[in-house]
Every structure is written in C-alpha cells, then in structure tokens.
Amino acid sequence: MPENKLQAIKYADGQLQLLDQRLLPYETVYLDVPDPKAAWQQIKDMVVRGAPAIGVTGALALAVHLISGGRGKQYASVQACLDDVASTMDCLVTSRPTAVNLADSAVKLKAVAAEAAAQQGATAETVTAAVVAAAEATLEQDIAANKAIGAAGAAALLSAVAARGKANARPGGKVTVLTHCNTGSLATAGYGTALGVVRALHEQGRLERCYACETRPYNQGARLTAFELVHDGLPATLLVDSAAAALMAQGKVDAVVVGADRVVANGDTANKIGTFSHAVAAAAHGIPFFVAAPTTTLDAGLATGEEIEIEQRPAEEITHFKGQRVVVEGIDVWNPCFDVTPGRLVEGIITEEGLVPRDSGSGSHKVAAFMAARQQAQAANGTAVPRPTSSVSALDAAGVVAFLAGRPQLAKHVGPAGSEGSWDVKEVGDGNINFVYIVTGPSGGVCVKQALPYVRCVGEGWPLSCDRARIEAEALALEHKLCPQHTPQVYLYEPASSVIVMQLLGPPNVILRHAIVQGGTCPHVGRHTGEFMAATLFSTSLLAMDSRSFRQMQVRFTNPDLCALTEQVIFADPYAQAAINRWTAPQLDEAAAGLRADTEAKAAISVLKRKFCCSADALIHGDLHTGSIMVTADSSVMIDPEFAFVGPIAFDPAKIIAELLIPYFAADGHEAAQGAGSRAGQRVWLLQCIIDVWETFSSRFLELWSAKVAADGGAAAGDLSPGALLGAAADNGPAALASCQQAFVAGLWADVLGFAGAFIIRRLVGIAHTADMDSIADADVRAACELRALRFGRHLLVQGAATYKGVRELTAAAAAARQVDGLPADTAAEAPAAAALGVQ
C-alpha cells in the first residue's frame, strides 16, 4: 500500500500487524496477528477500532489464516475450504456486533469463495488464491473510498455553511469543524472518513480549525484524534464532550462531521456514545451535522435505529483510571459504547459515491433506494457484490418459483423447464421464526425455507441474524451424515437470500404435533427420536471427537442470536413481567403471578440457564419438539435445527419429553368436547413414547460409547473417553468405563428433568404456546388442563432431579398428577396417589 503518515494496519503477504491504539499517544507498538483467534481478541479488546479498520482487519486475518495454513493445500476438498472460510469469518463477526463493516467483509469474502468454487476446474488452491486476493484488496479499496468521502464531504460541508450565509464569515472563506471519537487513519486503512473530510478541507486551504471532543470514557478523541491532528500539523483544539454545546453557542463551530458504525434505512446512525448529544446541540444552534461513512457501513436491512444492537462496555472504563478505582463502591454503571442519532438530525450522509438522498418532507434519508440504485449500477457493469444478509428480501410465491426455476439443479425436483406455470406453492410455516414453502410440480417437489432478519411471530421489532439459515443448513447436512434415516437431505443453501432448499417430505408425512392434536398416535416415533439423538449427540461430543475438531465445531456453530432468544423466552420471561408473555386469562392470572414471585423456581431456572450457556457437550438440535418431527406410519424425520449450537446434551431429550407431556395433560380438554375416555388410548401412548425416547436414547448412546472405546484398541475414542484410561487393555478399564457411563447418565437425567419442567412452563405462560392446549376451545377447560401441566412443570423444575431416578417413575408421576383433580386413571397400573409422589 502507499506510504501513509499513520497506519493502524500493516500487512504484507500473510503477515499482519495492528497498531495497539490502547497505548497511544504514549507508545507506538505494533502487535502481531498470527491467526483469526488473535484477530478476534484484538478487535474485541479495541487494539484496533473504527468500523472500517475492523472490517479490513477481519478480511486480512482470513488472508493470514489461509496463507499460513498452506495456501489451499491444507484442504482435502473445495468444500472443506469453503467451510473454513465461512466458519472463520462468522466467528470474527462476533467480536464487535454493532459495526456492520466486518459483517460486510464476511459476506463479500464468502461470496468470492463461492464464485471461485463454481468455476470449472476449481481446486482448494484456486479458491484460496481468490479469497486472499479479495481480502488483500480491502486495504486499497478502503483508502480510495476514504479519499472520495473526503472530497465529497468537503464540498457538502462548504455548501451547507454557505447556505446559512456564513461562506465568508471567516478569513479566506475558511470553516471550523467539530468532530467526535476517532475517524482518521487510526480508524480506517488510511486517511479517514469524518477526519478525511477535515483533511480534505485542510488540503484545500479551507480549514480554520478542527475541534476534537475527548470522547469519554475511552478517550479516543483525546488519545487518538488529537494525536493524528498534531502528527499531521492540522490546526486543532481539544475539548471535553460536555463543552461542545457551549462552544457552539459562542459561534465557534460552523459544522459537525462524525463517522458511523452503522447507518440504517432511514438514516438513523449508530456512532460513539456522545454523538447524539452533539447532533441535538447542533440542531439547536442551526449548525449542519454530517455523517461520513463508506457504503459498507450502510445497512438498509434495518428499518430504524431501534433495531441496532448496542454493545455494552465494561464498567471499569468509567470506574477506574490506570487500574485504580476512582469511583465509590456500590454505584451501578451504564456504559453503552454507542448511541443512535435520529436521521432527521443529520443534514447529509456522505459516502464515497456521494450523498445519500434525503426526503424533504420527513427528513429521513433514502438509504435503501440509494443502495438499490448502487447495486443496479454495479450489476450493469458486472461489479455487483452481495450485501450483509440483514438486507434479505422476503420471497413470495412468485419469487419462490423464479428462485427455483433459475437453478436447474433444483428445478428438476419439481418439474421440467417450461412447466413452472403448473407449479403449486403453499406457505406452510407454522413456527415462530421462519417462512416455509412447499413447492410441487410434475416431477415431485421441494421444501423452501427462508430466514428473514427478524422473528416471524413478532415482526421487524425483534431482529435476528440471517446466519441462522447457514447454521440450520450445516446442521442438517451433518445430521444427515450421522443419521440419514431420520434427517432430510439439503439440496442447496444460498447465503445471499438466506434460503435453504431441501428434500420434500410430502404426504403421507405430517407434523407430529398436528397428528397428536387430531388424536392420533405414532408407536414408532419415540424409538426413532431416541435413535436420532443418540447418533447425533454422541458423534458430536468429545466422547467421539478429538478436542481440536470439537473446538472448530464450536466456532462453526456459534449461534448467538438464537441462543439469546432461548435464554430470554425460556430462562427469563416466564418468571418476570415481560410484555410478550401470555396465558389464559383471567383463569391463570394467579398462577402466573405466583411464578413471578417463586423464589425456588427462580433459583432453579438460574442454575439451568448457567448450564445452557456454559455446558458445551455436543452439537444439539436446540429445538426438538413435536413441531420439528415429520411422521408417517413407519418413519420419523427430524427437521428445523436452526437453534443448533454446541450446548448441553440434556437439552434435546428434555425438550421432546416436555412436548409429549403437554399434550398428555391437554388430552382431558379434548375429551371434554369429544367424549369421556376418547383420548385415554392416546394418553397411554404418550407416556409410553416418553419411555421409548429416553430408554432408546440412553441405551443406544451407551452402546455407541462402548463401541468407540473398543474400536482399534481404544485409539479411536474421543478425547473425553481415552482408550488408555477406559479401554479393555487399561488397568480396570472396563470397570472404569462402566462407572463413567453410570455417572454420566445419572447426571444427564437430572438435567433432563429440570429442563423439561422449564419447557412446560414457557409453553403455558411465555410468548410461544402450542396447539395442544390452544386448540381447546373452552377457556375454563383449557385453563384447568394448563394449570395441571403448569403445576407438574414447576414440580419437575424445582424437585424433579431429587425425586425421580428413572423415566418410568416420571411417567407414573405424570399419570398421578392428573388425578389430583379427580380425573380417572387410564390403566390399572397407574398410581392413584399423586401426593405420595410429591406432586402438589
């Protein structure tokens, strides 16, 4: 790259160094970045900061990884290379969630990899070379963009000052500019964005003075911007953040220009905390306020600033100075890294391609239209690149047909070319998160699933990363490899549209929950579900894997958005005053209020949340309920693993057991309408199904474990069960293995009981209910069923682990719990005394 006065990033052929900006202005130290893990940590720790610089760093960290690994020779296949590029960038994106540039780099580099892989004769080496070239190009591209921003910004700023009659208010037509945080060479690959505008004004002889705000609490303005201004000889003055309004009141500021970490569709802008205050002050004094940002920072996929995730920084940034506490103990701290300035306060958004158009009526900025026009222009000259997946547009029926028809490898499953007019498209998604389409035609059909950047049942007010589609596609592919008889085949995953196309499970397949609500039974589904869980959970655990491969899998399946959603709706909301909670009111008002005041339940759910967040046992399905299983008379297929991540093994069996207990308690409500005893047979089957699930899963899991330890004299065993300790040749190896297995299953079962109780509770007083209960028309009858289930769920949550040592004790207790209200037993074997089993 050309010589720069200041360089935050140094790179040459696989060698990356970052200027440690935490030490400025006292020391100039460059830190080596030998791999993506180091890059992730240095981004997180703010060694490098500024959205453009973070995006470039992520791209170059991938280049370092690919070059040091062998320039493609380290991969056994093109697909292995693609998988590594995707997982590496996906992990890096998690380091700083607010800045969009890093996500933009990830999307572009994955697209480059996919395009290179599609070329005839592609190899892992050619794909790697293409990705490295694209990553290395980000340095020069960012510098060029910043200089264009500087030129456009200087013109826009001078024009705005002139429009206010101040063109010649200062000698030589010069202007004074106030800026915030650091947006110069230290925040970018070079030159800067907002500080690039200041530099351009200085180069034109039009800058009288730059006022730099200190930017508390991390002092990027005082430590970094002041350093740059003095280093480059620009006339500058430093002031505390809270003095900016007073400076404006004295007429010493002609314009304000700041950078951005994310600009959304209406022009709302996330930038360093304190920016909003400057915008309000500027508006009060009639001073033009500009945002300078590259197009990589524009995110038209978010409608307003309310949807931007705001990073919280450590309290110590405020409470400590040079390691010494300077604030009284006991005070709470609120330390957001960013705030959001409403677009209406922004006079102009300056990009390398000019200013974003503004609506003269509302004052909002037309970011979406600007980006769409840019994409069209790029498409016309063949330079179009994908945007981050938050800009995904929803497919409708016609869009689904066009999507499939344009891909012959998919269309062949539906019908021959020219038959598209006869294709039938039905939107069948009854879940809470995604859209699902069934497409059928002369040749058969496919299932099309699309993930949009929000929760379906809530809308755009609850944003979600579209990366969940990638996670689901990759989880399905792995599960199909491990258990093909119980997993559908994936035909395609396309990141640009967040679409998965997979094998159609057409009639006579039905969703298990639908069959249960209709009164049906499926004798095989418990065994099949147990087999699926044993095969997938064992094979992705450290009992079967080496620790290096296991940790790589953890990175690949990092799923922060859906894990956070789970943590909220299962482990928090049902026990608090959450606006999204719902229950049958007023019948369950007292029970819901009691749960919110239940000390034992809150303590128990907190323990389970810790296990959910901290127990990395295996790649779990994450959402294995009766709505995620397709069944026929003799088959069962598990679908929808979008919540997959490396978590607690107990989570999956607990969820399906809970989702079988709920219809067990709901059956009495359906009997009230259909006739006494009409659901007795189904209740008996549901309890037997629970037994089949656990006994099949636990026995098959142990069989796989023993076989793995025995294979190749123990050499094939996972790192958590080494043959040297537990194999047949080890001293007391078989006895030690048996002891380990016994303890493992006992601990697992205890966690299953607690999680199952939590799942039952969330389905009754949380946001997402099921048709098992909701389809009971009579509210009083429904509430009676729900109350019995809620009592049992709370009992499992608080007392289950200490009460039931086996699954048959659990099912006997469920049967007894029905009888608390005098309901008749379904079989003579059912224990009539609920109290004796501790169910209150």
Side-chain angles (χ1 to χ4, degrees):
M1 63 181 280
E3 186 65 31
N4 260 321
K5 292 184 177 181
L6 286 173
Q7 288 180 260
I9 303 167
K10 288 184 177 181
Y11 176 84
D13 193 30
Q15 302 296 314
L16 175 62
Q17 291 184 314
L18 298 177
L19 176 61
D20 191 344
Q21 299 185 33
R22 300 169 301 180
L23 304 179
L24 292 176
Y26 309 110
E27 298 180 65
T28 302
V29 176
Y30 282 88
L31 300 181
D32 291 331
V33 185
D35 52 44
K37 181 179 180 181
W40 188 98
Q41 196 63 54
Q42 291 186 30
I43 292 170
K44 185 72 173 177
D45 292 345
M46 296 180 71
V47 170
V48 63
R49 21 72 52 215
I54 290 170
V56 173
T57 297
L60 294 177
L62 177 63
V64 169
H65 174 63
L66 296 175
I67 292 171
S68 63
R71 297 183 182 269
K73 295 177 182 177
Q74 65 268 45
Y75 302 114
S77 66
V78 168
Q79 187 59 51
C81 178
L82 292 175
D83 291 345
D84 192 32
V85 168
S87 63
T88 300
M89 292 308 300
D90 291 339
C91 177
L92 284 166
V93 167
T94 66
S95 58
R96 294 293 298 275
T98 303
V100 74
N101 301 60
L102 185 50
D104 187 82
S105 289
V107 171
K108 289 177 178 176
L109 292 174
K110 286 190 280 188
V112 168
E115 183 178 353
Q119 300 300 312
Q120 187 172 5
T123 65
E125 288 91 338
T126 63
V127 173
T128 297
V131 174
V132 167
E136 292 177 341
T138 59
L139 268 172
E140 297 295 345
Q141 291 166 352
D142 189 60
I143 293 170
N146 292 338
K147 290 188 174 181
I149 288 171
L157 191 148
L158 291 171
S159 176
V161 172
R164 286 164 172 78
K166 299 180 179 180
N168 298 302
R170 304 186 193 280
K174 294 184 177 182
V175 294
T176 59
V177 181
L178 183 139
T179 191
H180 189 69
C181 198
N182 176 253
T183 57
S185 293
L186 297 175
T188 65
Y191 200 74
T193 54
L195 208 55
V197 174
V198 173
R199 281 193 168 97
L201 288 167
H202 181 66
E203 290 166 1
Q204 296 172 21
R206 302 295 299 274
L207 178 70
E208 179 170 299
R209 182 159 296 274
C210 176
Y211 290 100
C213 295
E214 64 170 347
T215 321
R216 285 279 294 152
Y218 213 65
N219 293 324
Q220 293 98 321
R223 292 189 302 106
L224 306 179
T225 299
F227 179 78
E228 287 200 46
L229 293 168
V230 171
H231 188 282
D232 288 2
L234 275 65
T237 299
L238 179 68
L239 66 154
V240 298
D241 299 347
S242 54
L247 189 71
M248 294 179 194
Q250 293 184 14
K252 294 183 178 180
V253 178
D254 295 324
V256 180
V257 61
V258 299
D261 285 80
R262 189 179 296 250
V263 181
V264 300
N266 68 345
D268 290 355
T269 298
N271 194 48
K272 190 60 56 185
I273 190 72
T275 303
F276 184 19
S277 299
H278 297 327
V280 171
H285 293 92
I287 296 171
F289 182 96
F290 287 92
V291 170
T295 52
T296 53
T297 305
L298 307 186
D299 185 2
L302 298 183
T304 72
E306 293 178 356
E307 301 176 32
I308 301 174
E309 178 183 357
I310 299 299
E311 176 186 354
Q312 295 290 323
R313 297 293 299 174
E316 288 75 16
E317 291 181 354
I318 296 177
T319 61
H320 288 66
F321 179 71
K322 291 187 175 180
Q324 179 69 38
R325 189 175 183 93
V326 294
V327 173
V328 66
E329 295 279 0
I331 188 71
D332 291 335
V333 172
W334 183 59
N335 187 21
C337 193
F338 306 95
D339 57 27
V340 177
T341 298
R344 67 179 184 277
L345 298 180
V346 178
E347 173 122 347
I349 299 169
I350 308 159
T351 78
E352 72 274 24
E353 297 182 17
L355 269 67
V356 174
R358 191 178 187 191
D359 188 296
S360 57
S362 66
S364 64
H365 299 262
K366 301 178 181 180
V367 174
F370 178 79
M371 294 304 293
R374 177 176 181 269
Q375 286 286 91
Q376 290 173 0
Q378 289 177 329
N381 62 27
T383 61
V385 293
R387 294 292 299 161
T389 53
S390 60
S391 60
V392 167
S393 298
L395 294 174
D396 56 14
V400 170
V401 170
F403 182 92
L404 297 174
R407 295 162 176 81
Q409 76 276 23
L410 301 177
K412 68 180 182 181
H413 295 287
V414 185
S419 67
E420 294 85 359
S422 66
W423 295 3
D424 182 59
V425 181
K426 289 186 173 67
E427 207 288 303
V428 298
D430 65 349
N432 299 305
I433 306 295
N434 297 315
F435 291 83
V436 182
Y437 297 90
I438 299 300
V439 186
T440 55
S443 301
V446 294
C447 175
V448 178
K449 186 171 184 178
Q450 185 179 36
L452 294 180
Y454 52 81
V455 177
R456 171 180 175 161
C457 68
V458 176
E460 296 183 4
W462 191 335
L464 277 184
S465 168
C466 292
D467 189 52
R468 67 187 190 273
R470 175 195 63 81
I471 290 172
E472 178 173 0
E474 294 186 6
L476 280 171
L478 180 54
E479 289 166 354
H480 187 267
K481 177 182 178 181
L482 298 172
C483 192
Q485 69 273 32
H486 297 311
T487 313
Q489 182 180 357
V490 173
Y491 298 141
L492 174 78
Y493 161 60
E494 185 170 281
S497 52
S498 289
V499 165
I500 305 170
V501 183
M502 67 189 87
Q503 173 188 355
L504 174 63
L505 301 171
N509 281 280
V510 295
I511 295 289
L512 176 59
R513 180 178 291 147
H514 296 174
I516 293 174
V517 170
Q518 295 301 315
T521 62
C522 304
H524 56 272
V525 73
R527 296 189 304 276
H528 291 175
T529 306
E531 291 168 359
F532 169 81
M533 292 190 298
T536 57
L537 295 174
F538 174 78
S539 299
T540 60
S541 75
L542 274 169
L543 298 172
M545 299 177 69
D546 65 87
S547 60
R548 181 180 179 85
S549 298
F550 182 81
R551 291 189 178 96
Q552 289 173 339
M553 180 182 68
Q554 281 184 282
V555 172
R556 177 183 173 191
F557 288 101
T558 299
N559 199 352
D561 277 9
L562 291 190
C563 283
L565 187 153
T566 299
E567 291 157 24
Q568 177 179 339
V569 302
I570 293 178
F571 300 107
D573 284 352
Y575 309 89
Q577 288 277 10
I580 59 176
N581 285 347
R582 62 188 182 93
W583 56 81
T584 301
Q587 292 90 338
L588 262 61
D589 286 356
E590 184 178 348
L595 196 61
R596 296 194 296 271
D598 192 328
T599 302
E600 290 183 311
K602 288 184 176 182
I605 200 67
S606 297
V607 170
L608 290 176
K609 183 175 182 179
R610 177 180 59 78
K611 291 181 178 180
F612 177 82
C613 295
C614 302
S615 298
D617 298 338
L619 179 64
I620 67 174
H621 181 286
D623 201 27
L624 190 57
H625 53 69
T626 56
S628 300
I629 305 176
M630 300 286 289
V631 295
T632 67
D634 55 9
S635 69
S636 308
V637 179
M638 317 299 148
I639 60 174
D640 297 346
E642 63 197 320
F643 282 78
F645 80 110
V646 179
I649 288 176
F651 196 83
D652 279 355
K655 177 158 274 195
I656 188 60
I657 286 173
E659 298 265 349
L660 293 169
L661 284 168
I662 291 171
Y664 176 79
F665 287 106
D668 290 298
H670 295 290
E671 276 190 349
Q674 298 168 1
S678 59
R679 293 284 180 118
Q682 187 186 60
R683 278 194 296 271
V684 172
W685 165 72
L686 284 165
L687 295 184
Q688 183 59 49
C689 191
I690 291 170
I691 293 171
D692 290 345
V693 166
W694 178 253
E695 292 187 346
T696 302
F697 163 68
S698 57
S699 62
R700 182 59 181 150
F701 191 99
L702 295 182
E703 288 172 7
L704 291 169
W705 187 351
S706 297
K708 193 74 171 177
V709 172
D712 298 328
D719 281 357
L720 203 58
S721 186
L725 298 182
L726 305 178
D731 292 341
N732 289 324
L737 175 61
S739 179
C740 287
Q741 291 178 336
Q742 182 180 7
F744 177 85
V745 172
L748 194 63
W749 175 245
D751 287 346
V752 165
L753 291 167
F755 280 127
F759 298 144
I760 293 172
I761 290 168
R762 65 79 53 120
R763 288 298 196 190
L764 301 173
V765 297
I767 182 177
H769 293 208
T770 70
D772 302 295
M773 291 290 188
D774 283 1
S775 61
I776 301 172
D778 188 305
D780 290 331
V781 172
R782 180 173 68 250
C785 296
E786 290 174 330
L787 189 57
R788 281 190 287 275
L790 190 61
R791 283 197 306 249
F792 194 68
R794 191 266 181 195
H795 168 65
L796 292 182
L797 173 66
V798 175
Q799 299 167 306
T803 306
Y804 308 116
K805 303 307 177 186
V807 68
R808 293 177 185 266
E809 289 185 20
L810 170 66
T811 55
R818 282 186 62 245
Q819 298 165 52
V820 170
D821 295 333
L823 295 169
D826 292 317
T827 69
E830 290 181 358
L837 290 164
V839 182
Q840 302 297 328

